[in-house]
Amino acid sequence: MTGDGLRGRVALVTGASSGLGRATAAALAEAGAQVIVHGRDAARLAEVAGAVGGVAVPGDLAVPAEVERVAAAALDVAARIDVLVCNAGAGWAGPFEAMPAADGDRLVAVNLAAPIGLTRLLLPQMRRRGGGRLVYVTSIAGRLGVAGEAVYAATKAGLDAFAESLRQELRGSGVTVGVLVPGVVDTPFFVRRGAPYTRGRPRPLPPDRVAGALVRGIAAGSPEIYVPGWLRLPVAVRGLAPAVYRTLAGRFGERVTPADPR
């Protein structure tokens, strides 16, 4: 895919009704891809589809049957998916013991089980054609861990491990695997997780900037895309000097207060 870029490719972007997913859909369309957008909010999704000249496929990825329906509906559009961008995600902030079980189940379903399910359903047609691109939006939380977001971080770490394992498994098949590891992106995610982002640094990045880096990485076949790039540093410190990292994280790590779960 790196040779001829994204023009004419068919891309499915999950979680595209707002934020990073919406910006990614727009960037892919600008690069010449035919975009299929997924989201839970059918009205907003239809607006996005109209803006990017794409097709809307609404659905709730927390429901296993909906994962299968979304994959089937996407394949019905053009009989193939060349690029799968698993961006849809759910969050929750607060002490782990205060987290309702249903919220934990939803995070695991949307953030981890759904990308695995979509991959299972869409990978075979990529392999038959000898090419494709699987892209997963993880999080720096999955690389480092974050106090108050234990389940969210665990799902993103699991997605990272899935992507790395799949990359090794698909070597030589023509199907490549990439991950986006973003820091703080200025989207409604923080409101939805139950606690706003209140730290001065790192400053939230505009979703358009992150989406641009993601699409450039897709076109280049990059296995990992960090945005901003300096996020590689704390990941390296954690790997090389975990005790030092834990000391720094304890001093400077984010603290969150849970929203009323009602």
Side-chain angles (χ1 to χ4, degrees):
M1 186 169 295
T2 58
D4 56 1
L6 292 165
R7 187 161 302 281
R9 304 291 183 174
V10 181
L12 169 61
V13 182
T14 68
S17 58
S18 66
L20 179 57
R22 179 173 188 152
T24 299
L28 283 166
E30 186 175 352
Q34 177 183 352
V35 184
I36 302 167
V37 291
H38 154 271
R40 285 194 300 156
D41 188 320
R44 282 195 303 176
L45 194 66
E47 178 189 343
V48 174
V52 303
V55 178
V57 178
D60 185 352
L61 295 182
V63 181
E66 286 286 277
V67 174
E68 296 189 8
R69 188 190 61 77
V70 167
L75 285 173
D76 283 345
V77 173
R80 75 181 200 274
I81 298 296
D82 300 306
V83 180
L84 170 63
V85 181
C86 290
N87 165 76
W92 193 92
F96 171 69
E97 65 269 26
M99 184 180 201
D103 288 344
D105 291 345
R106 180 170 184 82
L107 262 65
V108 172
V110 174
N111 297 355
L112 183 57
I116 291 174
L118 286 172
T119 302
R120 176 179 60 81
L121 294 162
L122 296 175
L123 174 59
Q125 51 90 37
M126 292 182 180
R127 295 204 69 163
R128 285 194 297 271
R129 290 182 287 104
R133 185 79 169 132
L134 301 166
V135 184
Y136 305 95
V137 177
T138 63
S139 171
I140 191 63
R143 298 283 171 105
L144 300 177
V146 177
E149 294 187 78
V151 176
Y152 175 77
T155 61
K156 292 300 186 177
L159 190 58
D160 249 335
F162 173 69
E164 180 61 35
S165 301
L166 200 59
R167 182 181 298 115
Q168 296 177 25
E169 184 176 324
L170 294 174
R171 186 177 289 116
S173 69
V175 180
T176 58
V177 179
V179 294
L180 170 70
V181 187
V184 184
V185 187
D186 188 9
T187 73
F189 172 82
F190 292 98
V191 174
R192 294 170 185 161
R193 76 173 184 169
Y197 181 77
T198 57
R199 293 182 62 177
R201 294 185 180 277
R203 299 184 67 177
L205 297 175
D208 290 352
R209 174 180 167 184
V210 181
L214 173 56
V215 172
R216 288 192 297 273
I218 293 172
S222 304
E224 290 186 332
I225 307 147
Y226 280 86
V227 184
W230 63 260
L231 288 177
R232 294 178 183 273
L233 177 59
V235 173
V237 171
R238 182 179 182 271
L240 296 172
V244 172
Y245 171 77
R246 292 187 186 106
T247 298
L248 293 173
R251 184 176 301 176
F252 300 110
E254 183 185 8
R255 292 293 182 268
V256 296
T257 302
D260 185 337
R262 295 172 296 181

